[in-house]
Amino acid sequence: TQLLEQSPQFLSIQEGENLTVYCNSSSVFSSLQWYRQEPGEGPVLLVTVVTGGEVKKLKRLTFQFGDARKDSSLHITAAQPGDTGLYLCAGVQSHGSGNTGKLIFGQGTTLQVKP
Amino acid sequence: NAGVTQTPKFRVLKTGQSMTLLCAQDMNHEYMYWYRQDPGMGLRLIHYSVGEGTTAKGEVPDGYNVSRLKKQNFLLGLESAAPSQTSVYFCASSYITAGRADTQYFGPGTRLTVL
Protein backbone atom coordinates (compact mmCIF):
# COMPACT_ATOMS: atom_id res chain seq x y z
CA THR A 1 0.00 0.00 0.00
CA GLN A 2 1.35 3.38 -1.00
CA LEU A 3 1.22 6.02 1.73
CA LEU A 4 1.88 9.75 1.76
CA GLU A 5 3.01 11.52 4.93
CA GLN A 6 2.34 15.24 4.91
CA SER A 7 3.90 17.69 7.37
CA PRO A 8 3.25 19.82 9.23
CA GLN A 9 -0.44 19.12 9.88
CA PHE A 10 -1.08 22.63 11.20
CA LEU A 11 0.69 25.90 10.51
CA SER A 12 -0.21 29.34 11.82
CA ILE A 13 1.96 32.21 10.60
CA GLN A 14 1.92 35.97 10.18
CA GLU A 15 1.33 37.67 6.86
CA GLY A 16 4.58 38.07 4.93
CA GLU A 17 6.30 34.97 6.31
CA ASN A 18 7.55 32.09 4.18
CA LEU A 19 6.60 28.47 4.71
CA THR A 20 7.21 24.99 3.32
CA VAL A 21 4.91 21.98 3.38
CA TYR A 22 6.37 18.52 2.82
CA CYS A 23 4.89 15.38 1.34
CA ASN A 24 6.91 12.18 1.73
CA SER A 25 6.54 8.54 0.81
CA SER A 26 8.63 5.39 0.64
CA SER A 27 6.90 4.58 -2.66
CA VAL A 28 7.41 5.95 -6.14
CA PHE A 29 4.50 7.80 -7.73
CA SER A 30 4.07 8.35 -11.47
CA SER A 31 3.08 11.95 -10.69
CA LEU A 32 1.98 14.05 -7.77
CA GLN A 33 -0.72 16.67 -7.42
CA TRP A 34 -1.31 19.49 -4.95
CA TYR A 35 -4.83 20.59 -4.09
CA ARG A 36 -6.19 23.44 -2.02
CA GLN A 37 -9.46 23.18 -0.13
CA GLU A 38 -11.47 25.96 1.48
CA PRO A 39 -14.04 25.36 4.24
CA GLY A 40 -17.31 23.91 2.93
CA GLU A 41 -15.90 23.24 -0.53
CA GLY A 42 -14.20 20.44 -2.41
CA PRO A 43 -10.47 20.41 -3.18
CA VAL A 44 -9.27 22.33 -6.24
CA LEU A 45 -6.18 21.29 -8.19
CA LEU A 46 -3.22 23.68 -8.00
CA VAL A 47 -0.56 21.78 -9.91
CA THR A 48 0.61 18.40 -11.18
CA VAL A 49 4.31 17.50 -11.17
CA VAL A 50 5.40 14.60 -13.31
CA THR A 51 9.15 14.48 -13.81
CA GLY A 52 11.67 13.78 -11.04
CA GLY A 53 13.30 17.06 -10.02
CA GLU A 54 10.57 19.13 -11.66
CA VAL A 55 9.87 22.60 -10.26
CA LYS A 56 6.69 24.52 -11.02
CA LYS A 57 5.76 28.01 -9.93
CA LEU A 58 2.31 29.47 -9.47
CA LYS A 59 2.74 33.12 -8.48
CA ARG A 60 4.11 32.95 -4.88
CA LEU A 61 3.80 29.15 -4.70
CA THR A 62 6.67 26.88 -5.73
CA PHE A 63 6.17 23.14 -6.11
CA GLN A 64 8.97 20.61 -6.38
CA PHE A 65 8.95 16.90 -7.15
CA GLY A 66 11.81 14.88 -5.68
CA ASP A 67 14.39 13.35 -7.99
CA ALA A 68 13.24 9.85 -7.07
CA ARG A 69 9.53 10.80 -7.39
CA LYS A 70 8.90 9.78 -3.76
CA ASP A 71 8.47 13.22 -2.23
CA SER A 72 7.33 16.74 -2.97
CA SER A 73 7.27 20.15 -1.36
CA LEU A 74 5.18 23.29 -1.54
CA HIS A 75 6.86 26.57 -0.67
CA ILE A 76 4.88 29.78 -0.22
CA THR A 77 6.74 33.08 -0.28
CA ALA A 78 5.36 36.10 1.58
CA ALA A 79 2.16 34.38 2.65
CA GLN A 80 -1.10 36.33 2.46
CA PRO A 81 -4.35 35.85 4.44
CA GLY A 82 -5.91 34.67 1.17
CA ASP A 83 -3.55 31.66 1.25
CA THR A 84 -5.40 30.33 4.31
CA GLY A 85 -6.84 26.89 3.68
CA LEU A 86 -6.18 23.15 3.66
CA TYR A 87 -3.41 21.99 1.35
CA LEU A 88 -3.42 18.38 0.20
CA CYS A 89 -0.84 16.43 -1.72
CA ALA A 90 -2.00 13.43 -3.73
CA GLY A 91 0.09 10.80 -5.41
CA VAL A 92 -1.06 9.13 -8.60
CA GLN A 93 -0.80 5.40 -8.10
CA SER A 94 1.72 3.60 -10.19
CA HIS A 95 0.08 2.14 -13.23
CA GLY A 96 -0.58 -1.54 -13.41
CA SER A 97 -2.68 -2.91 -16.20
CA GLY A 98 -4.39 0.41 -16.80
CA ASN A 99 -4.63 4.03 -15.78
CA THR A 100 -7.42 4.39 -13.22
CA GLY A 101 -6.40 7.86 -12.06
CA LYS A 102 -6.65 6.72 -8.45
CA LEU A 103 -5.11 9.16 -5.98
CA ILE A 104 -3.49 8.56 -2.60
CA PHE A 105 -3.94 11.67 -0.45
CA GLY A 106 -1.74 12.93 2.35
CA GLN A 107 -3.37 13.93 5.63
CA GLY A 108 -3.39 17.60 4.68
CA THR A 109 -1.83 20.78 6.08
CA THR A 110 -4.13 23.39 7.58
CA LEU A 111 -2.57 26.81 6.99
CA GLN A 112 -3.70 29.95 8.78
CA VAL A 113 -2.15 33.24 7.73
CA LYS A 114 -2.88 36.05 10.17
CA PRO A 115 -3.03 39.67 8.95
CA ASN B 1 -21.77 24.26 -16.66
CA ALA B 2 -22.56 23.21 -13.10
CA GLY B 3 -19.49 20.96 -12.86
CA VAL B 4 -19.92 18.34 -10.15
CA THR B 5 -22.98 18.57 -7.92
CA GLN B 6 -23.86 16.50 -4.87
CA THR B 7 -27.20 15.87 -3.20
CA PRO B 8 -27.94 16.32 -0.32
CA LYS B 9 -25.55 18.82 1.29
CA PHE B 10 -26.31 17.72 4.86
CA ARG B 11 -27.97 14.66 6.38
CA VAL B 12 -28.44 13.20 9.83
CA LEU B 13 -29.20 9.48 10.11
CA LYS B 14 -29.88 7.11 12.95
CA THR B 15 -27.82 3.94 13.23
CA GLY B 16 -29.22 1.29 10.92
CA GLN B 17 -30.96 3.66 8.51
CA SER B 18 -30.12 3.66 4.83
CA MET B 19 -29.55 6.46 2.37
CA THR B 20 -28.22 7.25 -1.09
CA LEU B 21 -25.91 10.11 -2.00
CA LEU B 22 -26.19 11.37 -5.55
CA CYS B 23 -23.34 12.78 -7.61
CA ALA B 24 -23.89 14.34 -11.03
CA GLN B 25 -21.38 15.79 -13.49
CA ASP B 26 -22.00 17.63 -16.75
CA MET B 27 -18.44 17.51 -18.14
CA ASN B 28 -18.82 14.18 -19.97
CA HIS B 29 -16.10 12.64 -17.80
CA GLU B 30 -15.56 8.90 -17.99
CA TYR B 31 -14.12 8.47 -14.50
CA MET B 32 -15.92 9.16 -11.24
CA TYR B 33 -14.87 8.70 -7.61
CA TRP B 34 -16.33 8.72 -4.11
CA TYR B 35 -14.13 9.82 -1.19
CA ARG B 36 -14.64 10.35 2.49
CA GLN B 37 -12.78 13.01 4.44
CA ASP B 38 -12.14 12.69 8.16
CA PRO B 39 -10.06 15.04 10.36
CA GLY B 40 -6.34 14.32 10.12
CA MET B 41 -6.80 11.60 7.48
CA GLY B 42 -7.01 13.45 4.20
CA LEU B 43 -9.35 11.95 1.60
CA ARG B 44 -9.77 8.20 1.29
CA LEU B 45 -11.18 6.54 -1.81
CA ILE B 46 -14.33 4.49 -1.21
CA HIS B 47 -15.32 3.32 -4.71
CA TYR B 48 -14.68 4.48 -8.22
CA SER B 49 -15.94 3.96 -11.74
CA VAL B 50 -14.07 3.98 -15.03
CA GLY B 51 -17.19 4.14 -17.15
CA GLU B 52 -20.94 3.66 -17.33
CA GLY B 53 -21.95 0.32 -15.87
CA THR B 54 -18.60 -0.33 -14.16
CA THR B 55 -17.54 0.11 -10.54
CA ALA B 56 -14.54 -0.91 -8.45
CA LYS B 57 -13.50 -0.88 -4.80
CA GLY B 58 -11.19 1.73 -3.42
CA GLU B 59 -9.30 1.91 -0.16
CA VAL B 60 -12.26 1.84 2.29
CA PRO B 61 -15.25 0.17 0.54
CA ASP B 62 -16.81 -1.74 3.46
CA GLY B 63 -20.35 -0.64 4.32
CA TYR B 64 -20.88 1.17 1.00
CA ASN B 65 -22.25 0.25 -2.39
CA VAL B 66 -22.23 2.23 -5.62
CA SER B 67 -23.90 2.26 -9.00
CA ARG B 68 -23.14 4.00 -12.30
CA LEU B 69 -26.20 3.41 -14.47
CA LYS B 70 -25.71 6.63 -16.41
CA LYS B 71 -22.42 8.21 -17.40
CA GLN B 72 -23.21 11.48 -15.68
CA ASN B 73 -24.38 10.00 -12.35
CA PHE B 74 -22.58 8.07 -9.61
CA LEU B 75 -24.60 6.95 -6.58
CA LEU B 76 -23.19 6.02 -3.18
CA GLY B 77 -25.38 3.91 -0.92
CA LEU B 78 -25.24 3.17 2.78
CA GLU B 79 -27.43 0.13 3.51
CA SER B 80 -27.18 0.23 7.30
CA ALA B 81 -25.51 3.37 8.57
CA ALA B 82 -23.06 3.20 11.48
CA PRO B 83 -21.59 6.03 13.60
CA SER B 84 -18.18 5.26 12.03
CA GLN B 85 -19.60 6.47 8.72
CA THR B 86 -20.01 9.99 10.08
CA SER B 87 -17.87 11.99 7.66
CA VAL B 88 -17.82 14.44 4.79
CA TYR B 89 -18.29 12.69 1.46
CA PHE B 90 -16.87 14.07 -1.77
CA CYS B 91 -17.54 13.01 -5.31
CA ALA B 92 -15.06 13.74 -8.09
CA SER B 93 -14.83 13.17 -11.81
CA SER B 94 -12.08 13.32 -14.41
CA TYR B 95 -10.97 12.54 -17.91
CA ILE B 96 -8.23 9.97 -18.20
CA THR B 97 -5.45 10.41 -20.71
CA ALA B 98 -3.28 7.38 -21.30
CA GLY B 99 -0.12 7.52 -19.24
CA ARG B 100 -0.93 10.51 -17.04
CA ALA B 101 -3.28 11.74 -14.37
CA ASP B 102 -5.81 14.37 -15.27
CA THR B 103 -7.45 16.90 -12.97
CA GLN B 104 -10.08 15.55 -10.64
CA TYR B 105 -13.00 17.95 -10.24
CA PHE B 106 -14.66 17.74 -6.87
CA GLY B 107 -18.20 18.44 -5.75
CA PRO B 108 -18.97 20.59 -2.69
CA GLY B 109 -19.39 17.62 -0.38
CA THR B 110 -22.12 16.01 1.72
CA ARG B 111 -21.82 16.24 5.49
CA LEU B 112 -23.28 13.08 7.02
CA THR B 113 -23.83 12.49 10.72
CA VAL B 114 -24.88 9.07 12.01
CA LEU B 115 -26.26 9.06 15.54
Coordinates of all heavy atoms in Angstrom, one line a residue, chain A residues 1 3 9 30-31 33 35 37 40-45 48 50 86 88 92 95 99-108, chain B residues 31 33 35 37 40-45 48 50 57-59 90 96-109:
Chain A
T1 N 0.8 -1.2 0.0 CA 0.0 0.0 0.0 C 0.9 1.2 0.0 O 1.8 1.4 0.8 CB -0.9 0.0 1.2 OG1 -1.7 -1.1 1.3 CG2 -1.8 1.3 1.2
L3 N 1.6 5.0 0.8 CA 1.2 6.0 1.7 C 1.9 7.3 1.5 O 3.1 7.3 1.1 CB 1.5 5.5 3.2 CG 0.7 4.3 3.6 CD1 1.3 3.8 5.0 CD2 -0.8 4.6 3.7
Q9 N 1.0 19.2 10.0 CA -0.4 19.1 9.9 C -1.1 20.5 10.1 O -2.2 20.7 9.5 CB -1.0 18.1 10.9 CG -0.6 16.7 10.5 CD -1.5 15.6 11.2 OE1 -2.6 16.0 11.7 NE2 -1.1 14.4 11.2
S30 N 3.9 7.9 -10.1 CA 4.1 8.3 -11.5 C 3.9 9.9 -11.6 O 4.6 10.5 -12.5 CB 3.1 7.6 -12.4 OG 1.7 7.9 -12.0
S31 N 3.2 10.5 -10.8 CA 3.1 12.0 -10.7 C 2.5 12.3 -9.4 O 1.9 11.5 -8.6 CB 2.3 12.5 -11.9 OG 0.9 12.0 -11.8
Q33 N 0.1 15.5 -7.3 CA -0.7 16.7 -7.4 C -0.8 17.4 -6.1 O -0.8 16.7 -5.0 CB -2.1 16.3 -7.9 CG -2.1 15.6 -9.3 CD -3.5 15.2 -9.8 OE1 -4.4 15.0 -9.0 NE2 -3.6 15.2 -11.1
Y35 N -3.5 20.0 -4.1 CA -4.8 20.6 -4.1 C -4.9 21.6 -2.9 O -4.3 21.4 -1.9 CB -5.9 19.5 -3.9 CG -6.1 18.6 -5.1 CD1 -5.3 17.5 -5.4 CD2 -7.2 18.8 -5.9 CE1 -5.5 16.7 -6.4 CE2 -7.4 18.0 -7.0 CZ -6.6 16.9 -7.3 OH -6.8 16.1 -8.3
Q37 N -8.1 23.3 -0.5 CA -9.5 23.2 -0.1 C -9.8 24.3 0.9 O -9.2 24.5 1.9 CB -9.7 21.8 0.5 CG -11.2 21.5 0.8 CD -11.3 20.1 1.4 OE1 -10.4 19.5 1.8 NE2 -12.6 19.7 1.5
G40 N -16.0 24.1 3.6 CA -17.3 23.9 2.9 C -17.2 23.6 1.4 O -18.3 23.6 0.8
E41 N -16.0 23.5 0.9 CA -15.9 23.2 -0.5 C -15.0 22.0 -0.8 O -14.3 21.5 0.1 CB -15.3 24.5 -1.2 CG -16.1 25.7 -1.1 CD -15.5 26.9 -1.8 OE1 -14.5 26.7 -2.5 OE2 -16.0 28.0 -1.6
G42 N -15.1 21.5 -2.0 CA -14.2 20.4 -2.4 C -12.8 20.9 -2.8 O -12.6 22.1 -3.0
P43 N -11.8 20.0 -2.8 CA -10.5 20.4 -3.2 C -10.4 20.9 -4.6 O -11.2 20.4 -5.5 CB -9.7 19.1 -3.0 CG -10.5 18.3 -2.1 CD -11.9 18.6 -2.4
V44 N -9.5 21.8 -4.9 CA -9.3 22.3 -6.2 C -7.8 22.1 -6.6 O -6.9 22.5 -5.8 CB -9.6 23.8 -6.3 CG1 -9.3 24.4 -7.7 CG2 -11.1 24.0 -6.0
L45 N -7.5 21.6 -7.8 CA -6.2 21.3 -8.2 C -5.4 22.6 -8.4 O -5.8 23.5 -9.0 CB -6.2 20.5 -9.5 CG -4.8 20.1 -10.0 CD1 -4.2 19.1 -9.1 CD2 -4.9 19.6 -11.5
T48 N 0.2 19.8 -11.1 CA 0.6 18.4 -11.2 C 2.1 18.4 -11.6 O 2.5 19.1 -12.5 CB -0.2 17.7 -12.3 OG1 -1.6 17.7 -11.9 CG2 0.3 16.2 -12.4
V50 N 5.3 15.9 -12.7 CA 5.4 14.6 -13.3 C 6.8 14.0 -13.3 O 7.1 12.9 -13.1 CB 4.9 14.7 -14.8 CG1 5.0 13.3 -15.4 CG2 3.4 15.2 -14.8
L86 N -6.7 24.5 3.5 CA -6.2 23.2 3.7 C -5.5 22.8 2.4 O -6.0 22.8 1.3 CB -7.3 22.2 4.0 CG -6.9 20.7 4.1 CD1 -6.0 20.5 5.3 CD2 -8.1 19.8 4.2
L88 N -3.5 19.8 0.3 CA -3.4 18.4 0.2 C -2.5 18.0 -0.9 O -2.6 18.5 -2.0 CB -4.8 17.8 -0.1 CG -5.9 18.0 1.0 CD1 -7.3 17.9 0.4 CD2 -5.7 16.9 2.1
V92 N -0.4 10.0 -7.6 CA -1.1 9.1 -8.6 C -0.5 7.7 -8.5 O 0.8 7.6 -8.7 CB -0.9 9.7 -10.0 CG1 -1.6 8.8 -11.0 CG2 -1.4 11.1 -10.1
H95 N 1.0 2.8 -12.3 CA 0.1 2.1 -13.2 C 0.4 0.7 -13.3 O 1.5 0.2 -13.4 CB 0.2 2.7 -14.6 CG 0.0 4.2 -14.6 ND1 -1.1 4.8 -14.1 CD2 0.8 5.2 -15.1 CE1 -1.0 6.1 -14.3 NE2 0.1 6.4 -14.9
N99 N -4.7 2.8 -16.5 CA -4.6 4.0 -15.8 C -6.0 4.3 -15.2 O -6.9 4.6 -15.9 CB -4.2 5.2 -16.7 CG -4.1 6.5 -16.0 OD1 -4.3 6.6 -14.8 ND2 -3.7 7.5 -16.7
T100 N -6.1 4.2 -13.9 CA -7.4 4.4 -13.2 C -7.5 5.8 -12.6 O -8.6 6.2 -12.2 CB -7.7 3.4 -12.1 OG1 -6.6 3.6 -11.1 CG2 -7.6 2.0 -12.5
G101 N -6.4 6.5 -12.6 CA -6.4 7.9 -12.1 C -6.6 7.9 -10.6 O -6.8 9.0 -10.0
K102 N -6.4 6.8 -9.9 CA -6.6 6.7 -8.5 C -5.6 7.5 -7.7 O -4.4 7.4 -8.1 CB -6.6 5.3 -8.0 CG -7.9 4.5 -8.4 CD -7.7 3.0 -8.3 CE -7.4 2.5 -6.9 NZ -7.3 1.1 -6.8
L103 N -6.0 8.3 -6.8 CA -5.1 9.2 -6.0 C -5.0 8.7 -4.6 O -5.9 8.2 -4.0 CB -5.6 10.6 -6.0 CG -5.8 11.3 -7.3 CD1 -6.4 12.7 -7.1 CD2 -4.4 11.4 -7.9
I104 N -3.8 8.8 -4.0 CA -3.5 8.6 -2.6 C -3.2 9.9 -2.0 O -2.3 10.6 -2.4 CB -2.3 7.7 -2.4 CG1 -2.5 6.3 -3.0 CG2 -2.0 7.5 -0.9 CD1 -3.6 5.5 -2.4
F105 N -4.1 10.3 -1.0 CA -3.9 11.7 -0.4 C -3.1 11.6 0.8 O -3.2 10.7 1.6 CB -5.3 12.2 -0.1 CG -6.0 12.8 -1.3 CD1 -6.8 12.0 -2.1 CD2 -5.9 14.2 -1.6 CE1 -7.5 12.6 -3.2 CE2 -6.6 14.7 -2.7 CZ -7.3 13.9 -3.5
G106 N -2.3 12.7 1.0 CA -1.7 12.9 2.4 C -2.8 13.4 3.3 O -3.9 13.7 3.0
Q107 N -2.4 13.6 4.6 CA -3.4 13.9 5.6 C -3.8 15.4 5.5 O -4.8 15.8 6.1 CB -2.8 13.7 7.0 CG -2.3 12.3 7.3 CD -0.8 12.2 7.1 OE1 -0.2 12.8 6.1 NE2 -0.1 11.5 8.0
G108 N -3.0 16.2 4.8 CA -3.4 17.6 4.7 C -2.7 18.5 5.7 O -2.3 18.1 6.7
Chain B
Y31 N -14.5 9.0 -15.8 CA -14.1 8.5 -14.5 C -14.8 9.3 -13.4 O -14.8 10.5 -13.4 CB -12.6 8.5 -14.3 CG -11.8 7.5 -15.1 CD1 -12.1 7.2 -16.4 CD2 -10.8 6.8 -14.5 CE1 -11.4 6.3 -17.1 CE2 -10.1 5.8 -15.2 CZ -10.4 5.6 -16.5 OH -9.7 4.7 -17.2
Y33 N -15.4 9.2 -8.9 CA -14.9 8.7 -7.6 C -15.7 9.2 -6.4 O -16.3 10.2 -6.5 CB -13.5 9.3 -7.4 CG -12.5 9.1 -8.6 CD1 -12.5 10.1 -9.6 CD2 -11.6 8.1 -8.7 CE1 -11.7 10.0 -10.7 CE2 -10.8 8.0 -9.8 CZ -10.8 8.9 -10.8 OH -10.0 8.8 -11.9
Y35 N -15.1 9.7 -2.3 CA -14.1 9.8 -1.2 C -14.9 10.2 0.1 O -15.9 10.8 0.1 CB -13.1 10.9 -1.4 CG -12.2 10.8 -2.6 CD1 -12.5 11.3 -3.9 CD2 -10.9 10.1 -2.5 CE1 -11.7 11.2 -4.9 CE2 -10.1 10.0 -3.5 CZ -10.5 10.6 -4.8 OH -9.6 10.4 -5.8
Q37 N -13.8 12.2 3.8 CA -12.8 13.0 4.4 C -13.0 13.1 5.9 O -14.1 13.5 6.4 CB -12.8 14.4 3.8 CG -11.6 15.3 4.4 CD -11.5 16.6 3.6 OE1 -12.5 17.2 3.3 NE2 -10.3 17.1 3.4
G40 N -7.7 14.9 10.0 CA -6.3 14.3 10.1 C -6.1 13.1 9.2 O -5.0 12.5 9.4
M41 N -7.0 12.8 8.3 CA -6.8 11.6 7.5 C -6.9 11.9 6.0 O -6.9 11.0 5.2 CB -7.8 10.5 7.9 CG -7.7 10.1 9.3 SD -8.8 8.7 9.7 CE -7.8 7.4 9.0
G42 N -6.9 13.1 5.6 CA -7.0 13.5 4.2 C -8.3 12.9 3.6 O -9.3 12.7 4.2
L43 N -8.2 12.6 2.3 CA -9.4 12.0 1.6 C -9.0 10.5 1.3 O -7.9 10.2 0.9 CB -9.6 12.7 0.3 CG -10.4 14.0 0.4 CD1 -9.5 15.1 0.6 CD2 -11.2 14.2 -0.9
R44 N -10.0 9.6 1.5 CA -9.8 8.2 1.3 C -10.8 7.7 0.3 O -12.0 8.0 0.4 CB -9.9 7.4 2.6 CG -8.7 7.7 3.6 CD -8.9 6.8 4.8 NE -10.0 7.2 5.6 CZ -10.5 6.6 6.6 NH1 -9.9 5.4 7.0 NH2 -11.5 7.0 7.3
L45 N -10.3 7.0 -0.7 CA -11.2 6.5 -1.8 C -12.1 5.4 -1.4 O -11.6 4.4 -0.8 CB -10.3 6.1 -3.0 CG -11.0 5.7 -4.3 CD1 -11.8 6.8 -4.9 CD2 -10.0 5.1 -5.3
Y48 N -14.8 3.7 -7.0 CA -14.7 4.5 -8.2 C -15.2 3.8 -9.4 O -15.6 2.6 -9.4 CB -13.2 4.9 -8.5 CG -12.3 3.7 -8.8 CD1 -11.9 3.4 -10.1 CD2 -11.8 2.9 -7.7 CE1 -11.0 2.4 -10.4 CE2 -10.9 1.8 -8.0 CZ -10.6 1.6 -9.3 OH -9.7 0.5 -9.6
V50 N -14.8 3.6 -13.8 CA -14.1 4.0 -15.0 C -15.0 4.1 -16.2 O -14.5 4.3 -17.4 CB -12.9 3.0 -15.3 CG1 -11.9 3.0 -14.1 CG2 -13.4 1.6 -15.6
K57 N -13.7 -1.3 -6.2 CA -13.5 -0.9 -4.8 C -12.3 0.0 -4.7 O -11.3 -0.2 -5.4 CB -13.3 -2.1 -3.9 CG -14.6 -3.0 -3.8 CD -14.3 -4.2 -3.0 CE -15.6 -5.0 -2.9 NZ -15.4 -6.3 -2.0
G58 N -12.3 0.9 -3.7 CA -11.2 1.7 -3.4 C -10.5 1.3 -2.1 O -10.5 0.1 -1.8
E59 N -10.1 2.2 -1.4 CA -9.3 1.9 -0.2 C -10.2 1.5 1.0 O -9.8 0.6 1.8 CB -8.5 3.2 0.2 CG -7.6 3.1 1.4 CD -7.0 4.4 1.7 OE1 -7.2 5.4 1.0 OE2 -6.2 4.5 2.7
F90 N -17.1 13.3 -0.6 CA -16.9 14.1 -1.8 C -16.9 13.1 -3.0 O -16.4 12.0 -3.0 CB -15.5 14.7 -1.7 CG -15.4 15.9 -0.8 CD1 -14.9 15.8 0.5 CD2 -15.9 17.2 -1.2 CE1 -14.9 16.9 1.3 CE2 -15.8 18.2 -0.3 CZ -15.3 18.1 0.9
I96 N -9.5 10.7 -18.4 CA -8.2 10.0 -18.2 C -7.5 10.0 -19.5 O -8.1 9.5 -20.5 CB -8.5 8.5 -17.7 CG1 -8.9 8.5 -16.3 CG2 -7.2 7.7 -17.9 CD1 -7.8 8.9 -15.3
T97 N -6.3 10.5 -19.5 CA -5.5 10.4 -20.7 C -4.4 9.3 -20.5 O -3.8 9.3 -19.4 CB -4.8 11.8 -20.9 OG1 -5.8 12.8 -21.0 CG2 -3.9 11.7 -22.2
A98 N -4.2 8.5 -21.5 CA -3.3 7.4 -21.3 C -1.9 7.9 -20.8 O -1.3 8.8 -21.4 CB -3.1 6.7 -22.6
G99 N -1.5 7.3 -19.7 CA -0.1 7.5 -19.2 C 0.0 8.7 -18.3 O 1.1 9.0 -17.8
R100 N -1.1 9.4 -18.0 CA -0.9 10.5 -17.0 C -2.2 10.7 -16.3 O -3.3 10.3 -16.7 CB -0.5 11.8 -17.7 CG -1.5 12.4 -18.6 CD -1.0 13.7 -19.3 NE -1.9 14.3 -20.2 CZ -2.8 15.2 -19.8 NH1 -2.9 15.6 -18.6 NH2 -3.6 15.8 -20.7
A101 N -2.1 11.4 -15.2 CA -3.3 11.7 -14.4 C -3.9 13.1 -14.8 O -3.1 14.1 -14.9 CB -2.9 11.8 -12.9
D102 N -5.2 13.1 -15.0 CA -5.8 14.4 -15.3 C -6.4 15.0 -14.0 O -6.4 14.3 -13.0 CB -6.9 14.1 -16.3 CG -6.4 13.8 -17.7 OD1 -5.9 14.8 -18.3 OD2 -6.4 12.7 -18.0
T103 N -6.9 16.2 -14.1 CA -7.4 16.9 -13.0 C -8.7 16.2 -12.5 O -9.5 15.8 -13.3 CB -7.8 18.3 -13.4 OG1 -6.7 19.0 -13.9 CG2 -8.4 19.1 -12.2
Q104 N -8.8 16.0 -11.2 CA -10.1 15.6 -10.6 C -10.9 16.8 -10.2 O -10.3 17.6 -9.5 CB -9.8 14.6 -9.5 CG -9.3 13.2 -9.9 CD -9.4 12.2 -8.9 OE1 -10.1 12.3 -7.9 NE2 -8.7 11.0 -9.1
Y105 N -12.1 16.8 -10.6 CA -13.0 18.0 -10.2 C -13.9 17.5 -9.1 O -14.6 16.5 -9.3 CB -13.8 18.4 -11.5 CG -12.9 19.0 -12.5 CD1 -12.3 18.2 -13.5 CD2 -12.7 20.4 -12.6 CE1 -11.5 18.8 -14.5 CE2 -11.9 21.0 -13.5 CZ -11.3 20.2 -14.5 OH -10.5 20.7 -15.4
F106 N -13.9 18.2 -8.0 CA -14.7 17.7 -6.9 C -16.0 18.5 -6.7 O -16.1 19.7 -7.1 CB -13.8 18.0 -5.6 CG -12.7 17.0 -5.4 CD1 -11.5 17.1 -6.1 CD2 -12.9 15.9 -4.6 CE1 -10.5 16.2 -6.0 CE2 -11.9 14.9 -4.4 CZ -10.7 15.1 -5.1
G107 N -17.0 17.8 -6.2 CA -18.2 18.4 -5.8 C -18.0 19.2 -4.4 O -17.0 19.1 -3.8
P108 N -19.1 19.8 -3.9 CA -19.0 20.6 -2.7 C -19.1 19.8 -1.4 O -18.8 20.3 -0.3 CB -20.2 21.5 -2.8 CG -21.2 20.8 -3.6 CD -20.4 20.0 -4.6
G109 N -19.4 18.5 -1.5 CA -19.4 17.6 -0.4 C -20.8 17.4 0.2 O -21.7 18.3 0.1

